Amino acid sequence: MSIRNARHPFYDFCDEALAGIREQGRYRTFTPLAREASRYPVYEEELPNTDIGREVVVWSSNDYLGMGVEPEVCEAAISAIREHGAGAGGTRNIAGTSPLHKALETELAALHGKEAGLLFVSGYVSNQASLQTILTSMPGWICFSDRLNHASMIAGIKGARGSTTVIYEHNDLADLEAKLVAAPVDAPKLIAFESVYSMDGDISDIAGTCALARKYNALTYIDEVHAVGLYGEHGGGVTERDGVAAQVDIIEGTLAKGFGVHGGYITASAQIVDYLRSTASGFIFTTSLPPSVVAAALASVKMVRAQNWRREKMFERVETFRAKMRSAGVPFTMTPSHIVPVPVGDAERCKVISQRLLNEYGVYATPINYPTVPHGTERLRLTPGPYHTDEMMDDMVAALKILLTEVPLAATGTTQALTEAA
Ligand SMILES: Cc1ncc(COP(=O)(O)O)c(C=O)c1O
């Protein structure tokens, strides 16, 4: 038996790569913040080397409606743990399917007006597993993918060996059509896109995309991760709001953002769901979601379907926040969604402003840097929700006004993002 004495080159590789990442100002640091369920969006930050915590108001949560702290949702999780235990105990096939799983899939199918639904352990996995499985099913698939699609969709598309990927310009239907025209008529085609693009906050033309899909006989796959729970009369997403859910073949969503819990899903026709249930590796070979998570998600989806007030309140809060930013002269990018990006323009500035917001003003806004967004368009991404008060908004606007003036753009940064302001 030989014993390896030499240092494996991967260790040096990691050191060098990390040094490069640090140099570019995109080394990832996490800010541990403990959410206070009864005071959302207030969190507690533990101060280093002390037992003392301090209050922080979070402005970047994706629990857009605060469903993750709803007492009914939390109680559903707690009683499911008491009744069924902490974990699922197996894959869906191996004793990991409870009546709760079936009920949630039925509820999600109804939410989107589809025949069937299928749960995955996360939204990421639902995209990766579904797209990869579909695009390796028949020979010759061509996937038309929006340039700004999420990493999880890209992982599924790239992982589909044997298929061809054609990237079309973001939300550009003329470019999509030009690319569809150029493709062989008989090839099986799929158009993969999102409804709300979470970093820019723009919304795709779903009806227009579906019209092209019909014209060129393409299947449509939409990621509604940042829209489910928030748009449409019952929270069915932009497809519901625009009355086009029936035109989209596969609607994918998460239970972790607008529904505030955890997990991912797709809804589609019975045979597509049955096929993915029977063949998608990322569905089959992993322990299913714990009953507590499924029970909480089911309670959340039911509440969100039935009650409009949180959606309405969230949009009112977003508008109020924008009005306050506007009147204080703080730049932000106007979007047709609930997302409020504040352009910052370079990674270091973004990090410094985010850190100073936290240290000096007790507010948290995540810095969004490359590779999540292109260089020069670094930003803070704010998501006002139903529980952000006017006072919290005034504090945030005042802090941003000071820091955006005080912290200069580095010489390497561009000013392009700053000119996007509303
Ligand atoms: C567009 C999009 N799709 C999918 C996901 C993955 O969803 P989840 O967080 O449930 O894994 C995300 C996560 O942020 C996302 O932004």
Side-chain angles (χ1 to χ4, degrees):
M1 194 170 70
S2 74
I3 295 173
R4 181 161 60 83
N5 286 320
R7 182 172 149 100
H8 192 282
F10 185 58
Y11 291 94
D12 290 335
F13 172 86
C14 289
D15 287 341
E16 276 164 38
L18 286 167
I21 289 169
R22 280 179 201 277
E23 208 170 293
Q24 291 160 31
R26 52 186 191 91
Y27 183 71
R28 292 187 170 225
T29 49
F30 300 134
T31 306
L33 296 167
R35 175 153 75 160
E36 293 190 19
S38 60
R39 299 177 65 208
Y40 186 64
V42 174
Y43 287 58
E44 191 178 270
E45 184 197 18
E46 233 176 66
L47 296 176
N49 310 319
T50 67
D51 291 339
I52 308 165
R54 68 167 183 144
E55 272 184 17
V56 173
V57 175
V58 168
W59 281 88
S60 292
S61 173
N62 285 333
D63 185 353
Y64 296 123
L65 301 176
M67 293 308 294
V69 296
E70 271 296 328
E72 226 174 285
V73 171
C74 298
E75 279 310 315
I78 293 163
S79 47
I81 288 192
R82 289 218 176 88
E83 248 180 272
H84 308 296
T91 64
R92 286 295 294 271
N93 214 27
I94 306 175
T97 298
S98 72
L100 288 165
H101 290 80
K102 298 303 295 174
L104 181 53
E105 286 173 341
T106 304
E107 186 75 22
L108 291 166
L111 173 69
H112 294 294
K114 297 290 179 199
E115 288 173 355
L118 193 66
L119 289 171
F120 293 81
V121 292
S122 71
Y124 185 102
V125 174
S126 58
N127 274 334
Q128 185 276 326
S130 301
L131 284 167
Q132 182 167 339
T133 306
I134 293 167
L135 295 170
T136 46
S137 59
M138 303 188 296
W141 272 106
I142 304 177
C143 177
F144 297 83
S145 176
D146 185 288
R147 182 174 292 288
L148 294 191
N149 276 342
H150 187 255
S152 54
M153 299 170 88
I154 295 168
I157 293 164
K158 274 194 177 164
R161 262 188 280 160
S163 70
T164 304
T165 306
V166 177
I167 293 169
Y168 64 94
E169 293 309 320
H170 177 55
N171 275 347
D172 183 341
L173 294 191
D175 188 49
L176 172 60
E177 178 153 29
K179 286 172 170 152
L180 284 163
V181 171
V185 176
D186 294 337
K189 302 178 188 72
L190 179 143
I191 303 171
F193 64 121
E194 299 180 21
S195 56
V196 175
Y197 282 82
S198 74
M199 291 303 145
D200 292 325
D202 55 340
I203 296 181
S204 61
D205 175 354
I206 303 173
T209 308
C210 290
L212 288 179
R214 278 192 301 279
K215 190 167 167 190
Y216 296 95
N217 196 22
L219 208 66
T220 41
Y221 181 105
I222 194 164
D223 173 318
E224 284 250 56
V225 159
H226 291 276
V228 288
L230 313 182
Y231 296 81
E233 208 187 322
H234 305 95
V238 182
T239 46
E240 185 191 15
R241 185 196 71 178
D242 294 356
V244 293
Q247 298 178 32
V248 180
D249 294 289
I250 299 149
I251 298 177
E252 183 270 348
T254 185
L255 298 161
K257 302 189 196 295
F259 296 123
V261 188
H262 191 87
Y265 66 90
I266 56 136
T267 63
S269 73
Q271 70 269 52
I272 289 180
V273 167
D274 209 14
Y275 177 73
L276 291 174
R277 193 180 65 81
S278 310
T279 58
S281 181
F283 171 78
I284 297 173
F285 297 105
T286 187
T287 299
S288 66
L289 288 170
S292 54
V293 168
V294 179
L298 183 58
S300 176
V301 175
K302 283 187 169 165
M303 285 169 80
V304 165
R305 273 186 85 188
Q307 300 166 6
N308 249 327
W309 69 264
R310 285 183 203 80
R311 278 185 280 284
E312 284 165 1
K313 182 80 181 161
M314 184 197 74
F315 283 110
E316 178 277 315
R317 294 284 75 196
V318 170
E319 282 321 311
T320 301
F321 183 65
R322 283 181 175 137
K324 285 178 182 290
M325 293 277 278
R326 218 174 268 125
S327 70
V330 181
F332 64 96
T333 307
M334 189 57 200
T335 73
S337 71
H338 58 288
I339 291 162
V340 183
V342 175
V344 171
D346 80 60
E348 194 50 37
R349 183 173 190 240
C350 209
K351 250 177 41 185
V352 169
I353 291 179
S354 172
Q355 198 58 54
R356 286 189 57 186
L357 280 171
L358 182 65
N359 295 346
E360 296 166 31
Y361 299 92
V363 289
Y364 182 72
T366 317
I368 309 284
N369 289 339
Y370 178 85
T372 309
V373 295
H375 288 299
T377 70
E378 287 83 357
R379 65 199 70 172
L380 300 171
R381 175 181 175 273
L382 308 183
T383 53
Y387 302 112
H388 284 102
T389 62
D390 278 8
E391 199 188 339
M392 289 172 182
M393 290 186 183
D394 291 338
D395 290 347
M396 183 59 168
V397 171
L400 280 171
K401 192 171 168 68
I402 293 169
L403 292 180
L404 285 167
T405 315
E406 273 186 22
V407 183
L409 201 63
T412 50
T414 78
T415 52
Q416 175 232 322
L418 291 171
T419 59
E420 284 175 45

